[in-house]
Amino acid sequence: MNILEVNDLCKTYIVNKRQNNVLKNVNFSIAEGEMVAVMGPSGSGKSTLLYAVSGMDTVTAGEVSFCGKNIAKMKEMELADLRLDEMGFIFQQMYMLKNLTVLDNIILPACQSKKNNETRKETVARGEALMRKLGIIEIADNDINEVSGGQLQRACICRSMINNPKMLFADEPTGALNRTSSDEVMEELAKLNADGTTIMLVTHDVKVAARCTKVLYIVDGNIKGEYNLSRYESASQMRERERALNNWLMEMGW
């Protein structure tokens, strides 16, 4: 079953009265449980595509079906509720409120959701359970400036999962991290995917993309190719997965 279907998606910006076609008749689908990477040269439209299909940005033309709902036709308040309750977001820059502890930042989306009927104690318990799962429970009461970048990004993953989303969207989730922290964060995302969470992420890193089940390659606003990988299961597979993916990317003009 496809959780996301994109048909003839176009995104156009008008800059100084000139039309800039960033996305041009993009078509693809993501099945439930997949982990899909979007790769391509700088300025190819990767992040614009992620924002358009997740309802963070409007589309100029085409259809974006998320769980059977055409989000391209939704009003802003409907989209806001959909993003809060059914989607999770992770960004390169780890946006968190400085006046809240790490745990309070994680549970904030649950406190804002109209669908959440839990007591605060129950919500806190779920937030702590997510932190234990990702190995950061010891920083629950810390301020956000008292933790490492890798810990903070894992906290962002916890926050993205607090409302049990149907799909995660990640824009360069390891872009601001060193290699060790990047590997740790991707290991956690791979575990979430293995547990059934559907993920779409933008990356320029072959090591990150090699953990995914599918890679979409975009150039000048068009998807030029799609590469299917077997499901990632262990670190022992990584060298071969990276080699095969790198060869395909070279063929695509990477």
Side-chain angles (χ1 to χ4, degrees), residues 25-248:
N25 298 314
V26 174
N27 294 275
F28 69 94
S29 62
I30 296 178
E32 192 172 353
E34 280 194 303
M35 184 171 178
V36 178
V38 180
M39 303 188 76
S42 296
S44 58
K46 300 186 297 296
S47 293
T48 301
L49 177 62
L50 185 86
Y51 296 160
V53 302
S54 62
M56 286 193 289
D57 197 1
T58 58
V59 304
T60 305
E63 182 176 292
V64 179
S65 177
F66 179 80
C67 296
K69 306 168 187 173
N70 184 7
I71 67 173
K73 300 295 185 182
M74 284 185 175
K75 296 179 180 177
E76 185 51 46
M77 287 306 297
E78 289 180 290
L79 272 175
D81 288 339
L82 182 75
R83 291 193 300 264
L84 178 63
D85 294 325
E86 299 186 31
M87 299 176 178
F89 295 92
I90 308 164
F91 302 98
Q92 179 175 344
Q93 298 302 320
M94 294 157 264
Y95 303 108
M96 284 198 167
L97 297 179
K98 295 179 180 179
N99 60 325
L100 298 180
T101 65
V102 174
L103 177 59
D104 284 339
N105 267 285
I106 287 171
I107 66 171
L108 184 60
C111 297
Q112 294 176 318
S113 175
K114 299 170 186 174
K115 291 185 177 181
N116 184 12
N117 297 316
E118 299 174 320
T119 64
R120 178 177 171 82
K121 185 176 180 180
E122 289 169 334
T123 301
V124 166
R126 282 201 304 111
E128 290 174 339
L130 282 168
M131 294 187 79
R132 286 191 189 91
K133 186 175 182 179
L134 271 76
I136 54 169
I137 188 60
E138 72 278 3
I139 65 167
D141 296 325
N142 287 40
D143 292 334
I144 64 169
N145 59 357
E146 296 175 334
V147 300
S148 71
Q151 288 174 319
L152 195 59
Q153 192 61 300
R154 279 183 278 173
C156 289
I157 295 173
C158 292
R159 181 180 60 186
S160 75
M161 292 296 294
I162 194 67
N163 283 339
N164 298 311
K166 293 176 180 174
M167 187 169 176
L168 290 184
F169 296 90
D171 189 10
E172 296 281 6
T174 64
L177 304 176
N178 61 34
R179 175 50 61 193
T180 299
S181 294
S182 173
D183 288 344
E184 290 172 354
V185 165
M186 284 309 302
E187 191 67 33
E188 298 303 336
L189 288 176
K191 288 177 183 175
L192 289 175
N193 179 244
D195 289 341
T197 302
T198 307
I199 301 173
M200 177 181 177
L201 62 87
V202 166
T203 185
H204 65 277
D205 191 333
V206 174
K207 288 182 177 291
V208 169
R211 294 176 184 261
C212 298
T213 58
K214 183 165 71 179
V215 178
L216 302 176
Y217 190 75
I218 186 171
V219 180
D220 295 333
N222 293 114
I223 292 179
K224 296 296 186 182
E226 180 179 307
Y227 186 76
N228 290 293
L229 292 133
S230 59
R231 184 166 293 281
Y232 171 77
E233 293 178 350
S234 69
S236 63
Q237 301 174 328
M238 283 305 296
R239 183 171 295 183
E240 177 57 29
R241 291 171 71 90
E242 289 171 19
R243 185 194 64 76
L245 177 57
N246 201 57
N247 288 343
W248 178 77

